Amino acid sequence: MNVREFFELSAGKWFSQKTSQHLTLKQSEQGKSDLVIEILPPDHPQAIDLCQRAGIEPSAIWGGVKYSWKGTIAWDTQPQSPTNRQGETIAISVPDATTIDTGKLIYATSGDASAPRVASYTLGEDEALTLISEGENISSEERVWFESNNVRLRTTIVTQPSGESIASFYSEIRMGG
């Protein structure tokens, strides 16, 4: 499997469950959401817009991915008052010149006027996708893999400059229809 095939296998509607542990604060949160992943062709207006915002020639990408989610998050300290969350992220893959299995993922979340963010990606021999993002205020490492065609698993570790960390585990089940 290559990165393009990985994203194509990810396309569809998923039920996602998340558990996060704020390691420094010793608090946890749980979340559930519906996640829709769509593949965007390189000439899709949202992919072209993101290329323009990032200063990338659209011919350098194979296409993009659109993630839309709607769900709730609850903290262990306030389990009775979950927070509703929804949003959308557009991402484009810019493969390295030598191989499609490594490169940069340029992404932007709806409602965020800041410049697009960049993560490096690597698809390992174990067919797990690793995304590493380094920013001024945060760094993260995410690992995504398929247990089967209809079950995706993800782990993330987000670290702030203060040293505070959040570890998360997601299980995602493909929904029919």
Side-chain angles (χ1 to χ4, degrees), residues 79-139:
Q80 304 306 321
S81 357
T83 304
N84 292 325
R85 301 274 172 115
Q86 66 181 30
E88 177 180 283
T89 296
I90 304 294
I92 53 175
S93 172
V94 183
D96 287 342
T98 57
T99 176
I100 191 173
D101 291 335
T102 62
K104 302 288 183 211
L105 195 69
I106 314 296
Y107 61 100
T109 301
S110 61
D112 186 356
S114 63
R117 292 181 293 277
V118 178
S120 62
Y121 68 78
T122 303
L123 184 67
E125 290 182 22
D126 61 355
E127 297 186 339
L129 183 69
T130 301
L131 300 161
I132 297 175
S133 179
E134 298 286 338
E136 186 177 303
N137 298 320
I138 202 161
S139 65

Side-chain angles (χ1 to χ4, degrees), residues 4 37-53 56-59 61-68 88-92:
R4 185 176 189 161
I37 302 173
E38 302 171 59
I39 302 299
L40 304 177
D43 61 350
H44 190 280
Q46 288 179 302
I48 291 172
D49 177 63
L50 187 52
C51 284
Q52 290 171 342
R53 289 176 54 202
I56 294 170
E57 186 62 40
S59 62
I61 68 169
W62 60 260
V65 181
K66 178 179 177 179
Y67 300 90
S68 305
E88 177 180 283
T89 296
I90 304 294
I92 53 175

